[in-house]
Amino acid sequence: MRIERYEKIFMALTLVVLLAALAAIGVGVFAAEVHLPAPAGRVDPRQIRRTAPFDQPGVREVAPGEYEAVIIARAWAFEPNEIRVPRGSTVRFRVASADVIHGFLVENTNINVMVIPGQVAEVAARFDRPGEYVFLCHEYCGFGHHQMFGKVIVE
Amino acid sequence: MSSIARTTGMEYSGPAETIYLAEQLWPIRGQLYLGLLGLAVGGYLGLLQALERIGIDLYSAHFLKSYYQGLTIHGVLLAFLFTFAFSNSFLSLTTIRGFERPLASTWLAQGAFWTMLAGTVLAAFAILTNQATVLFTFYAPLKASSLFYLGAVFLVLSTWLTSANQLLTLRAWRREHPEEPIPLLGFVSVVPYLMWDLASVGVAILVVVFLLPWSLGILSHVDPQFDRLLFWFTGHPIVYFWLLPAYVSWYLMIPAQVGGRLFSDGLTRFVFLLFLVLSTPTGLHHQFTDPGMPTVMKTVHLFTTFAVVYPSFITAFTVMAALESGGRARGGRGLLGWIRALPWKDPSVNAQLLAMLVFTLGGATGIVNASYSVNLVVHNTAFVPGHFHMTVGTAVALTAMGICYWLIPFLSGRELWGRRLALAQAWLWAIGMLVFARGQIAGGLSGMPRRTAIGDAAYLDLFQWSLDNWLTAIGGIVMTTSGLLFFIVMLRTLFFSRPLAAPVEIPVAETVHGARESWPLFDRLGLWFLIAVGLAVVAYVPVILGYLPLNPVSPPIRVY
Ligand code: HEM
Ligand SMILES: [Cu+2]
Ligand SMILES: [Cu+2]
C-alpha cells in the first residue's frame, strides 16, 4: 500500500502522543496512588439489613485515626446521612444498595463509585482539612434522585 | 447555486432512476423524516432540561410527570431514534451510490422502515404514559414496561435489516464485478454496520434474555452488575456507530464539496477497519467505578480505548489534508489562507466544518473521561453531558444537519430554501453548544451530578453552581433557536421551495492514491470481522469468567 511520507510521520507522532498519555496515567496510578474501585464482596439487597456490616450502618473507629463508615443507599436517602470524624482521619466507606442502582460521590475527594445492588462498594479517603464534605447520589434512582445526599463533617 | 452542482468529484454517469428505485427511496426518505422528527422533539426537551437549571420548570405544563420522564424522551429519541434512523437512511443511500446499483432487497429496505417505526411507536407509548421513566440506559433493576424493551428490540432489528441488505448488495456487486476492489464509498458504508452487528450483541442479549422476560414476570430476578456489563459491551461501540456516518461525509463528501481530493484510499479503508476491530473490546472504561469489575481488566480496556482513539487522530489529519487541497485549489495561499478560501458560505460545508471544530474539543474531553484514575473526577458528573454534546450532539447532529442541506433537495427535488438562515443556524448551534458545554463541564468538575434535576436538588445551595447553570441554560436557548431555524429551513424547502433547476448529485470525492494502490487484504471483510470477534472475546471472556456465578438478586423495582 502506498502511504505518503507525511502521512507516516503523522501516524508515528500520534502513536507517541497516545503512549505518552498512557504513561502519564501510569504515573498517576502508581506514584499518586489513585486507585479505581475493585471488587469487595457481594451482598443480597433483599437481606441487607440482616447482613454484616450493613445490619449496623454508621461510622466506627477501627484503629487510631482510621474509621469505617457503613452506609446503606436506598431510594432516596443514605443511611446514615451524616458522618463525623476528626481531622486527619482516613475513612473507609462501605456502601451498598437496598434497591436500585445509586452512585456515591464525595466532593473534593477522589471518591466516586457506583452502588450496584448485589455489590459492596468500598472506597477510602483521608480528610485533612476540617469542614463539611457533601456526598451525593450521582446515578438516577427514581423520582426523588435529586434529594439524595449527606455530609461528612470533619472536626 | 449550490456547491453540489460545482462538485468536482466522481459523478455518477448513468440515469438516476436505474439505481435509485422509487420503492427503495421511500423507506430511505421515511427513515430520514422519522429521525428528524426525533431530533425535533428530543431537542425541545433539551430546552426544558436546560431551563430547569435556572428555576424555570415547564414539565407540568407539558403533562410530564417529572424531569426524568422528559430526560428519558430526550435520551431515547436523540441517542437511539435520531442516530439509528439517520444512519439507516443515509448509509443505505451511500450503499446504492457506492455500488452504483439498487439495494439487493427492496423487502429488507422497507422492512427496516417498518421496524424502525414500530420500535418508535412502542417505546414512545411506554415513555409518554410514564411506564418507562428509566432513562436511555434502562439500568436494571429499574423496571420499564415490556413495551419499552420490545421497542428497543425493534429499533435494533431495523439496523440489522439494513446491515443485511448492505451485505447482500455487496455480494451481488461482487458477482457483477469479480476481481475489482470494493468501491470506497460502498466500503465505508458497510463497515460501520459490521462493527455494529458485533457490538449490538451485548444489548440484544441483555434485553431478549434478561430484561424482557423479567419485565413479563417470566424471570424473577436479574443481576444488575452483569446487566451493566452487557449494556456497556454495546454502549461504547455505539458511539462509533453514531459517529461513523459523519466520518463517511467528512472523508468522502466534504472533500468533493470543497473542491479538493481525498489523499489515500487505502488509509481510509484502514481507519474504518480499525474502528471495526477496536471499538468493541473497550466497554469497561464505562465501568471504571463499578465495584464488581476487576481492575486488571479495567486496565486492559484502558489500553484498547486509547487504541481506538488512534483512527480518530488519523481522521483529523486526513480530513484536514483534504480540506487544504480544496482550499488551495480555490486559490487560498499561505500557511492558513486555505482555510479562509473554503466555501464557508455553503450551508452544507459550513455546518460540517463547524461540527469538526467542535469535535476536536469533544474528542479531547473524551480522552479525559477515558483516562482511568482521572475518570474518578468526572464520572457521572455534568462533565459527561458537556463532553457528549460536543461529540454526538454536535459532531454527529450538526454534520447530519449539514448533510440534510443537500440530502433534502436530493430527495425532494426542491431547491434549498433560506441559505442565509441555514448559515446562521450552524453558527448558532456551534456557539450555543460551546457555551452550554462550558457550563456543564465546569459544573461537573465541581461535583455536579448528571441526570439530575439540579434546579430542584436538595443540595443546590451547598454548591456554587449558579454561573454553570446559567451558561447551560443560555447555551441551551441558543441551540434551541438554531434547531428551530433548521426545521424552518427544512420545512420551507420541502413545502414551499421551487423545483431544482438541475438534479442534485451526491458528492463523492476522488482520491489521489486510488483503490488500486490500497492493500487488497483490506477488502476481505469477513476476515476483519472475525478478528473483531476474536478481540471482543479476548477482552470479555476473562471478565465474564472472573465474575461468574451470576448474582441474580434484583426483582423489578418501579420508583418513578
Ligand atoms: C437544543 C439542544 C439540546 C439541549 C438544550 C440539550 C440539553 C441537555 C441537558 C441539559 C442534558 C443533561 C441532563 C442531565 O444530565 O440531567 C442532556 C442530556 C443528554 N442529551 Fe442533550 N441537549 C440538546 C441536544 C442534544 C442532541 C442533538 C443530542 C444527540 C444527538 C443529545 C443527546 C443527549 C443525551 C444522550 C443525553 C443523556 C441523557 C441521559 O443521561 O439519560 N442532546 N441534554
Ligand atoms: Cu440517585
Ligand atoms: Cu465510551
Side-chain angles (χ1 to χ4, degrees):
Chain A
M1 187 173 85
R2 175 84 191 276
I3 303 178
E4 296 217 2
R5 208 168 75 91
Y6 60 93
E7 284 173 334
K8 283 186 189 145
I9 295 174
F10 188 84
M11 287 166 78
L13 273 181
T14 310
L15 209 58
V16 173
V17 170
L18 288 175
L19 289 177
L22 280 171
I25 296 169
V27 171
V29 172
F30 291 107
E33 294 238 6
V34 183
H35 293 292
L36 293 187
R42 294 179 170 184
V43 54
D44 188 332
R46 296 161 299 180
Q47 310 290 337
I48 191 164
R49 285 175 199 286
R50 270 165 282 159
T51 313
F54 297 97
D55 51 348
Q56 290 176 343
V59 61
R60 49 194 157 258
E61 191 167 14
V62 288
E66 288 189 20
Y67 291 79
E68 178 186 63
V70 174
I71 301 178
I72 294 179
R74 60 165 170 88
W76 297 293
F78 290 106
E79 282 176 43
N81 62 7
E82 202 178 285
I83 308 276
R84 277 177 194 274
V85 289
R87 105 165 69 162
S89 316
T90 300
V91 184
R92 178 161 299 275
F93 295 88
R94 305 176 83 182
V95 193
S97 166
D99 42 44
V100 294
I101 298 184
H102 300 276
F104 184 70
L105 175 152
V106 186
E107 66 163 332
N108 298 324
T109 67
N110 277 322
I111 293 183
N112 185 334
V113 66
M114 301 303 299
V115 183
I116 299 172
Q119 307 289 328
V120 177
E122 196 178 291
V123 284
R126 204 182 134 97
F127 293 88
D128 283 326
R129 272 183 301 119
E132 291 188 357
Y133 295 73
V134 175
F135 58 86
L136 50 82
C137 173
H138 64 42
E139 184 54 87
Y140 169 64
C141 55
F143 191 73
H145 161 55
H146 48 279
Q147 315 291 355
M148 193 166 162
F149 81 112
K151 285 177 190 170
V152 179
I153 298 168
V154 180
E155 292 167 330
Chain B
M1 166 160 141
S2 83
S3 73
I4 312 304
R6 283 199 303 270
T7 296
T8 56
M10 313 196 299
E11 267 149 49
Y12 173 64
S13 45
E17 317 78 72
T18 58
I19 63 168
Y20 305 115
L21 308 180
E23 63 270 27
Q24 298 189 349
L25 273 189
W26 76 251
I28 288 180
R29 217 181 261 126
Q31 290 184 86
L32 181 65
Y33 297 158
L34 191 59
L36 292 179
L37 182 68
L39 178 65
V41 177
Y44 180 68
L45 281 139
L47 175 68
L48 268 56
Q49 280 144 224
L51 292 179
E52 193 271 348
R53 284 165 166 64
I54 53 169
I56 303 174
D57 182 342
L58 295 177
Y59 287 93
S60 49
H62 289 81
F63 307 101
L64 293 171
K65 188 177 166 213
S66 68
Y67 177 88
Y68 304 107
Q69 190 185 2
L71 187 56
T72 307
I73 302 176
H74 185 77
V76 170
L77 289 188
L78 291 166
F80 299 149
L81 175 62
F82 163 62
T83 51
F84 288 6
F86 183 80
S87 271
N88 277 2
S89 168
F90 180 56
L91 293 187
S92 294
L93 190 68
T94 56
T95 302
I96 298 176
R97 176 61 181 83
F99 294 112
E100 299 196 348
R101 74 183 306 292
L103 295 170
S105 164
T106 298
W107 185 87
L108 282 176
Q110 299 184 352
F113 170 81
W114 289 117
T115 42
M116 184 74 72
L117 186 65
T120 307
V121 170
L122 287 170
F125 175 78
I127 299 171
L128 290 173
T129 51
N130 200 38
Q131 298 180 67
T133 300
V134 291
L135 306 191
F136 79 126
T137 43
F138 53 86
Y139 291 141
L142 285 171
K143 175 196 186 285
S145 144
S146 23
L147 296 179
F148 176 84
Y149 302 118
L150 213 54
V153 169
F154 275 101
L155 291 181
V156 172
L157 198 57
S158 164
T159 61
W160 288 354
L161 298 182
T162 303
S163 180
N165 207 359
Q166 288 182 328
L167 293 174
L168 291 173
T169 310
L170 169 64
R171 196 179 65 173
W173 177 89
R174 270 188 161 143
R175 289 216 184 101
E176 294 153 7
H177 304 82
E179 310 296 316
E180 277 184 43
I182 301 175
L184 186 57
L185 182 59
F187 187 96
V188 299
S189 308
V190 171
V191 171
Y193 273 85
L194 273 184
M195 184 278 289
W196 172 246
D197 292 338
L198 168 62
S200 52
V201 167
V203 95
I205 295 176
L206 170 61
V207 172
V208 174
V209 177
F210 294 103
L211 299 184
L212 194 53
W214 175 74
S215 72
L216 290 167
I218 300 168
L219 189 68
S220 64
H221 293 81
V222 293
D223 177 349
Q225 177 67 86
F226 189 73
D227 288 1
R228 278 171 66 87
L229 186 70
L230 290 171
F231 184 88
W232 288 112
F233 181 94
T234 304
H236 188 73
I238 200 176
V239 309
Y240 298 113
F241 186 53
W242 297 337
L243 187 61
L244 288 177
Y247 276 17
V248 168
S249 175
W250 296 358
Y251 267 97
L252 268 126
M253 301 185 164
I254 282 292
Q257 287 173 272
V258 304
R261 289 196 294 173
L262 175 64
F263 273 84
S264 171
D265 173 293
L267 201 55
T268 307
R269 286 177 211 252
F270 179 57
V271 163
F272 276 77
L273 288 178
L274 282 181
F275 280 114
L276 166 60
V277 169
L278 294 174
S279 294
T280 307
T282 59
L284 237 53
H285 73 232
H286 286 264
Q287 298 181 278
F288 280 158
T289 65
D290 277 23
M293 294 291 137
T295 41
V296 177
M297 290 314 292
K298 288 175 183 171
T299 314
V300 172
H301 284 227
L302 165 73
F303 283 100
T304 46
T305 302
F306 270 70
V308 74
V309 176
Y310 191 58
S312 280
F313 266 122
I314 304 182
T315 299
F317 169 73
T318 314
V319 171
M320 197 124 71
L323 288 174
E324 183 184 349
S325 80
R328 298 221 182 272
R330 300 167 62 89
R333 308 250 165 277
L335 194 59
L336 296 175
W338 60 270
I339 298 178
R340 291 250 318 267
L342 291 172
W344 290 93
K345 291 273 180 291
D346 177 324
S348 173
V349 172
N350 177 57
Q352 296 185 62
L353 292 179
L354 292 172
M356 292 174 197
L357 282 176
V358 175
F359 188 52
T360 55
L361 291 174
T365 50
I367 294 178
V368 173
N369 291 334
S371 293
Y372 206 66
S373 44
V374 185
N375 179 263
L376 294 177
V377 182
V378 297
H379 174 76
N380 253 2
T381 69
F383 184 94
V384 179
H387 151 72
F388 65 64
H389 282 82
M390 295 195 282
T391 51
V392 66
T394 302
V396 176
L398 188 53
T399 294
M401 294 189 244
I403 291 170
C404 283
Y405 288 144
W406 64 258
L407 182 55
I408 295 283
F410 172 88
L411 289 172
S412 67
R414 291 183 182 267
E415 198 135 324
L416 181 66
W417 179 90
R419 301 173 60 84
R420 301 252 301 276
L421 276 191
L423 290 174
Q425 180 274 319
W427 281 102
L428 285 178
W429 190 274
I431 292 167
M433 186 58 79
L434 291 178
V435 175
F436 171 90
R438 167 71 174 65
Q440 291 279 289
I441 286 174
L445 289 176
S446 61
M448 183 195 288
R450 71 182 277 207
R451 296 137 86 78
T452 302
I454 289 296
D456 261 342
Y459 40 81
L460 181 61
D461 294 338
L462 303 176
F463 289 90
Q464 269 102 43
W465 287 333
S466 176
L467 175 64
D468 307 331
N469 284 334
W470 274 95
L471 290 176
T472 301
I474 293 168
I477 293 168
V478 175
M479 281 149 69
T480 312
T481 313
S482 161
L484 194 66
L485 292 183
F486 174 73
F487 284 103
I488 291 175
V489 170
M490 286 296 102
L491 291 173
R492 294 218 49 147
T493 299
L494 279 175
F495 295 110
F496 300 104
S497 188
R498 37 170 203 277
L500 284 166
V504 167
E505 273 280 342
I506 297 181
V508 184
E510 282 177 19
T511 47
V512 177
H513 300 293
R516 300 275 169 208
E517 288 174 64
S518 163
W519 195 28
L521 210 60
F522 284 162
D523 279 9
R524 299 275 303 278
L525 291 179
L527 176 70
W528 293 103
F529 185 74
L530 281 182
I531 295 176
V533 172
L535 274 183
V537 167
V538 170
Y540 271 99
V541 164
V543 186
I544 295 172
L545 290 182
Y547 181 78
L548 293 177
L550 288 186
N551 188 27
V553 290
S554 289
I557 298 177
R558 186 168 189 263
V559 276
Y560 51 84

